[in-house]
Amino acid sequence: MRSLTSLTLHHSLLALVYSFVALSSAAAAEKETTQVFLSNGQLEYVGLLDEAANQRLFALYDSLPIKPTVLSIRSPGGEVYTGMQLGNWVREHKLDVQVLEFCFSSCANYVFPAGIHKIVSNFAVIGYHGGSGDPKHLAFDEATQKMYDAMSPVEQKALMDDIHKTSLADGQREAHYLQQLGVRTDISSLGQAEQYASLLKQNPDTAGWTYTLEDFALLGVRDITVINPPWKPGAAMKRMVVVTIQVEQQATPKQ
């Protein structure tokens, strides 16, 4: 039987693995409490996707006599279910989503495509770095790797089994969520496909990938308006590299 300490370590590491916010430069800038507020008639959400922040946002909206129609968000991502919760709420309340700087990971996976209309600045980044249903591409950061290395082989196997089980469940839930939005279920994982491996290797410092307006449409994310086009994602972000991958015109949508 594993000790209480080992069990605590095991579950703590599992929680770390599924934070899905391993975008170091963006996440480092967002360590402070997520901010939710009203500005110029728009809802503002700044920081990691967070359950408490979601609830504050919902309460703020309910308290307003004149309901905002736009959620402006800047986020490096967050936990899968928290992102889906926010995305579902956005769609249910028929809000537009605006991104003036960046929307990564779970923000891009679940919140951005949920907007009725999407508004982006000409340098905004809608960034992806992997889907929730594929543990093959899992990578630990330095601190998490140390925790993993401290486990016994039996504990390591149990952890990876848990990750695989949780990943499959998350993948199924993600697929259902995206199908409801009419979005291709591989939008968050397409860049991990073999045909893009060489492109990503050419950019070893990349934090992920994004798509053109045309390819977003192919993936089911439409009604995107660019402020002062053309759209050049990441043009104002010097510390982060995001590559643009091309979606094959004849690709069969994965549902």
Side-chain angles (χ1 to χ4, degrees), residues 6 24 28 82 102 107 126 144 169 221 236 240:
S6 295
S24 57
T82 304
F102 57 82
C107 180
I126 311 301
T144 308
V221 182
M240 185 174 295

Side-chain angles (χ1 to χ4, degrees), residues 139-153:
F140 295 155
D141 61 21
E142 183 178 353
T144 308
Q145 186 65 51
K146 287 181 179 179
M147 294 177 68
Y148 178 79
D149 292 342
M151 290 179 166
S152 70

Side-chain angles (χ1 to χ4, degrees), residues 41-185:
Q42 296 183 351
L43 294 168
E44 300 280 347
Y45 195 115
V46 182
L48 293 171
L49 300 182
D50 175 77
E51 170 67 21
N54 283 0
Q55 295 305 320
R56 293 198 305 274
L57 178 74
F58 304 160
L60 172 61
Y61 180 89
D62 289 342
S63 72
L64 297 171
I66 300 177
K67 304 301 183 187
T69 60
V70 177
L71 172 67
S72 184
I73 189 166
R74 185 187 78 190
S75 176
E79 199 271 331
V80 172
Y81 295 160
T82 304
M84 291 185 190
Q85 179 192 53
L86 181 55
N88 274 323
W89 182 84
V90 165
R91 181 52 63 105
E92 288 171 3
H93 291 79
K94 296 180 172 57
L95 298 181
D96 296 340
V97 172
Q98 175 177 271
V99 179
L100 298 181
E101 294 184 53
F102 57 82
C103 176
F104 276 103
S105 192
S106 290
C107 180
N109 295 353
Y110 315 122
V111 183
F112 184 71
I116 301 301
H117 299 95
K118 298 88 175 166
I119 306 101
V120 297
S121 72
N122 59 11
F123 60 85
V125 178
I126 311 301
Y128 299 86
H129 68 102
S132 64
D134 190 356
K136 297 191 297 296
H137 301 278
L138 181 67
F140 295 155
D141 61 21
E142 183 178 353
T144 308
Q145 186 65 51
K146 287 181 179 179
M147 294 177 68
Y148 178 79
D149 292 342
M151 290 179 166
S152 70
V154 173
E155 290 170 334
Q156 289 178 351
K157 183 180 184 304
L159 173 68
M160 297 311 295
D161 287 345
D162 278 354
I163 289 174
H164 182 72
K165 181 179 179 180
T166 302
S167 182
L168 288 176
D170 284 348
Q172 291 172 351
R173 182 166 181 173
E174 177 184 81
H176 178 69
Y177 174 86
L178 293 172
Q179 285 169 353
Q180 287 184 313
L181 294 179
V183 175
R184 271 178 49 169
T185 57

